[in-house]
C-alpha cells in the first residue's frame, strides 16, 4: 500500500492546485461572512472541511481504483437508497427544495457525493460492456442507469443537479464509443420531449428561467443577479481590496458565500485576480484530462473523464450565472464556495484521480 514506486507517480502539482483553490475559498468565505453574526464562523467550518478532506484524499489515493469495479453496483444502490431517504425524510432548510437528510444531527446532501457515485457506476457499466455499446439495448441500459437517480433528484426538486448529472452521463456515454446515429436518435428524442418536460418544472425553476430571459419582468426576483453583476463590474482590473467590496460587505449580495462567491472574488480582487484563479482551474482540469489519457484501462479513463467534465461544467455554469449568461442553477464554485458535502466530495474525487495516475503503469514484479 505504501509502495514508493506508486507514490513516485502521485501528481503533486494537482494537489498543489487543489490546495491553492481551497485556501482561496476559506479566505473569500471569511470576507463574505465575517460581518454577519450568524455566518461569522463559516470560514472556520470550511477550514475544518479542508483539514478533514485532505487526509481522505490521500486515503482514497492509496486504494486501488480498480477495486471499485467490484463494489460499483452496491455503490449505485446506496446512492439510490440515499435519494429515496431524501424523498421520504428530506429537509428543505427553508428553500422549499428537499435536498438534505439528517445523519447523526448533521445535514447531509446526498447528491454531492452522489455525483461521483454516479460516475463510478456509469464508468463500471460502460467499461464492462464496452464492446457491446454499439447495440441499442446496452445503450438503453446505460440511460436507465443514469435516469433512475436523475428522476429522484429532479423530484427534490433540483434542476441544477439534474442538468449536471445529465451532462456527466452524456459525456461518459459519448466517449465510451457509441455510434453517431445513436447520438442523433437519442438527441432528437430529447429535443422532442422538451415541450412535455416544461409543464413539470417547479415554480422556482420557471421563475429563474423567466428572470434570465427577461430580468425586468420581476425586479425583486432578479435583485441578487443584478447585485452580482454590479459587484463583478465594480471590481475593475485590480479590485476594491480584500474585505472592501461594497456589494459584499453591505450585504446587498445574498448567498455570497455559496452560489455567488465568484462575484465577491471579482469585486475584491478584480479582473486580474479572477483571471489567475481561472488559470488555476484550467490547469487542474488539464491535469485531470492528462490523467485520463494516461489511464491504464477504460474504467480508469472514464472515472477521471467524469471528474474533469464535472469540474469544468460546474466552473462554467457558476461563473455564467454570476455574469448572467446562464440562468441561476444553484451550482457552487468547486473548492471555493462554502459547503462541507461539496468540499469533501470534490477532494475525494481528486483522490480517485490520484489513484488512477499512481497506477497508470504496470508494476514489474521480480
Amino acid at each position: 500500500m505504501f509502495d514508493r514506486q506508486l507514490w513516485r507517480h502521485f501528481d503533486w502539482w494537482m494537489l498543489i492546485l487543489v490546495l491553492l483553490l481551497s485556501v482561496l475559498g476559506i479566505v473569500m468565505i471569511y470576507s463574505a461572512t465575517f460581518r454577519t453574526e450568524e455566518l461569522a464562523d463559516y470560514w472556520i467550518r470550511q477550514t475544518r472541511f479542508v483539514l478533514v478532506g485532505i487526509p481522505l484524499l490521500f486515503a482514497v489515493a492509496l486504494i486501488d481504483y480498480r477495486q471499485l469495479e467490484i463494489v460499483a453496483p452496491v455503490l449505485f444502490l446506496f446512492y439510490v437508497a440515499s435519494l429515496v431517504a431524501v424523498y421520504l425524510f428530506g429537509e428543505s432548510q427553508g428553500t422549499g427544495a428537499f435536498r438534505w437528510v439528517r445523519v447523526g444531527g448533521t445535514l447531509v446532501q446526498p447528491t454531492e457525493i452522489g455525483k461521483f457515485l454516479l460516475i463510478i457506476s456509469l464508468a463500471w457499466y460502460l467499461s464492462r460492456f464496452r464492446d457491446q455499446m454499439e447495440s441499442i439495448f446496452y445503450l438503453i441500459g446505460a440511460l436507465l442507469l443514469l435516469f433512475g437517480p436523475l428522476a429522484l433528484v429532479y423530484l427534490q426538486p433540483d434542476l441544477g443537479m439534474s442538468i449536471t448529472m445529465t451532462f456527466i452521463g452524456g459525456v461518459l456515454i459519448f466517449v465510451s464509443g457509441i455510434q453517431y446515429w445513436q447520438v442523433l436518435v437519442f438527441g432528437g428524442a430529447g429535443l422532442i420531449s422538451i415541450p412535455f418536460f416544461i409543464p413539470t418544472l417547479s415554480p422556482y425553476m420557471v421563475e429563474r428561467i423567466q428572470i434570465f430571459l427577461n430580468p425586468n419582468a420581476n425586479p425583486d426576483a432578479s435583485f441578487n443577479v443584478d447585485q452580482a453583476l454590479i459587484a463583478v463590474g465594480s471590481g475593475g482590473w485590480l479590485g476594491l481590496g480584500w474585505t472592501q467590496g461594497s456589494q459584499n460587505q453591505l450585504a446587498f449580495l445574498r448567498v455570497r458565500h455559496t452560489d455567488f462567491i465568484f462575484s465577491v472574488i471579482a469585486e475584491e480582487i478584480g479582473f486580474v485576480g479572477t483571471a489567475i484563479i481561472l488559470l488555476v482551474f484550467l490547469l487542474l482540469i488539464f491535469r485531470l484530462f492528462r490523467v485520463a489519457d494516461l489511464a491504464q484501462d477504460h474504467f480508469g479513463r472514464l472515472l477521471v473523464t467524469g471528474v474533469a467534465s464535472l469540474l469544468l461544467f460546474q466552473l462554467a455554469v457558476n461563473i455564467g450565472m454570476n455574469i448572467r449568461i446562464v440562468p441561476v442553477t444553484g451550482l457552487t464554485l468547486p473548492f471555493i464556495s462554502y459547503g462541507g458535502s461539496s468540499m469533501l466530495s470534490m477532494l475525494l474525487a481528486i483522490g480517485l484521480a490520484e489513484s488512477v495516475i499512481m497506477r497508470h503503469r504496470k508494476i514489474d514484479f521480480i
Side-chain angles (χ1 to χ4, degrees), residues 5-7 9-10 61-62 353-360:
Q5 189 172 354
L6 282 176
W7 285 103
H9 299 300
F10 187 90
L62 282 172
E354 293 285 9
S355 176
V356 174
I357 193 61
M358 288 169 67
R359 295 164 179 83
H360 77 284

Side-chain angles (χ1 to χ4, degrees), residues 302-329:
L302 288 175
L303 281 178
V304 185
T305 298
V307 173
S309 300
L310 170 64
L311 185 59
L312 179 61
F313 183 75
Q314 283 202 205
L315 174 67
V317 172
N318 181 269
I319 294 176
M321 71 184 193
N322 273 261
I323 58 177
R324 196 185 273 164
I325 61 173
V326 299
V328 174
T329 60

Side-chain angles (χ1 to χ4, degrees), residues 194-257:
I194 289 178
F196 303 96
F197 170 74
I198 292 176
T200 68
L201 293 173
S202 299
Y204 92 92
M205 299 177 183
V206 175
E207 182 181 64
R208 288 182 174 181
I209 294 174
Q210 289 175 338
I211 292 171
F212 173 70
L213 296 175
N214 184 13
N216 296 322
N218 190 343
D220 291 335
S222 64
F223 177 83
N224 205 56
V225 180
D226 294 336
Q227 298 305 311
L229 281 174
I230 293 172
V232 172
S234 63
W237 285 98
L238 299 177
L240 302 178
W242 183 53
T243 72
Q244 300 302 311
S246 58
Q247 307 305 115
N248 173 29
Q249 301 305 326
L250 297 177
F252 289 114
L253 189 62
R254 302 165 187 164
V255 289
R256 54 194 178 277
H257 58 298

Side-chain angles (χ1 to χ4, degrees), residues 52-357:
V52 170
I54 295 300
L56 289 178
L57 184 156
F58 281 103
V60 172
L62 282 172
I63 300 171
D64 190 335
Y65 71 92
R66 291 166 291 195
Q67 301 300 317
L68 292 174
E69 291 188 88
I70 302 173
V71 297
V74 176
L75 293 176
F76 177 77
L77 292 176
F78 171 78
Y79 180 36
V80 172
S82 69
L83 293 177
V84 172
V86 171
Y87 181 76
L88 296 175
F89 312 108
E91 299 185 25
S92 70
Q93 288 193 302
T95 63
F98 293 83
R99 303 172 186 171
W100 294 267
V101 64
R102 194 171 293 276
V103 179
T106 302
L107 285 177
V108 177
Q109 189 174 1
T111 50
E112 286 296 339
I113 189 64
K115 293 179 292 190
F116 304 104
L117 297 181
L118 180 65
I119 290 172
I120 292 170
S121 303
L122 283 173
W124 165 77
Y125 181 91
L126 295 171
S127 59
R128 181 179 178 86
F129 301 107
R130 181 182 182 184
D131 296 332
Q132 289 83 28
M133 286 308 296
E134 293 182 1
S135 168
I136 192 74
F137 297 104
Y138 286 93
L139 176 56
I140 291 175
L143 292 175
L144 290 175
L145 200 65
L146 169 63
F147 287 115
L150 180 62
L152 289 169
V153 171
Y154 184 73
L155 288 173
Q156 290 182 359
D158 192 339
L159 180 61
M161 192 62 69
S162 300
I163 295 173
T164 302
M165 292 171 61
T166 302
F167 178 81
I168 296 170
V171 168
L172 292 181
I173 291 172
F174 181 78
V175 302
S176 66
I178 66 172
Q179 301 296 304
Y180 285 108
W181 69 266
Q182 294 173 326
V183 176
L184 293 174
V185 169
F186 284 96
L191 292 174
I192 292 173
S193 67
I194 289 178
F196 303 96
F197 170 74
I198 292 176
T200 68
L201 293 173
S202 299
Y204 92 92
M205 299 177 183
V206 175
E207 182 181 64
R208 288 182 174 181
I209 294 174
Q210 289 175 338
I211 292 171
F212 173 70
L213 296 175
N214 184 13
N216 296 322
N218 190 343
D220 291 335
S222 64
F223 177 83
N224 205 56
V225 180
D226 294 336
Q227 298 305 311
L229 281 174
I230 293 172
V232 172
S234 63
W237 285 98
L238 299 177
L240 302 178
W242 183 53
T243 72
Q244 300 302 311
S246 58
Q247 307 305 115
N248 173 29
Q249 301 305 326
L250 297 177
F252 289 114
L253 189 62
R254 302 165 187 164
V255 289
R256 54 194 178 277
H257 58 298
T258 54
D259 297 1
F260 289 92
I261 199 164
F262 177 81
S263 298
V264 175
I265 295 171
E267 183 179 36
E268 297 193 348
I269 64 176
F271 177 81
V272 174
T274 54
I276 294 173
I277 294 169
L278 287 177
L279 178 61
V280 174
F281 268 114
L282 293 177
L283 286 173
L284 176 58
I285 293 168
F286 168 78
R287 296 201 73 84
L288 285 169
F289 278 120
R290 171 182 170 273
V291 172
D293 186 56
L294 294 173
Q296 186 183 126
D297 56 8
H298 195 56
F299 178 65
R301 188 174 302 112
L302 288 175
L303 281 178
V304 185
T305 298
V307 173
S309 300
L310 170 64
L311 185 59
L312 179 61
F313 183 75
Q314 283 202 205
L315 174 67
V317 172
N318 181 269
I319 294 176
M321 71 184 193
N322 273 261
I323 58 177
R324 196 185 273 164
I325 61 173
V326 299
V328 174
T329 60
L331 291 181
T332 55
L333 192 60
F335 302 110
I336 295 180
S337 293
Y338 172 80
S341 299
S342 176
M343 175 61 74
L344 293 177
S345 61
M346 288 304 304
L347 290 174
L348 289 174
I350 296 299
L352 194 60
E354 293 285 9
S355 176
V356 174
I357 193 61

Side-chain angles (χ1 to χ4, degrees), residues 21-44:
L21 293 171
S22 300
V23 171
L24 172 71
I26 294 170
V27 170
M28 298 313 301
I29 289 169
Y30 173 84
S31 177
T33 60
F34 80 102
R35 294 183 188 275
T36 307
E37 184 177 353
E38 62 270 23
L39 304 177
D41 67 336
Y42 273 33
W43 71 275
I44 299 176

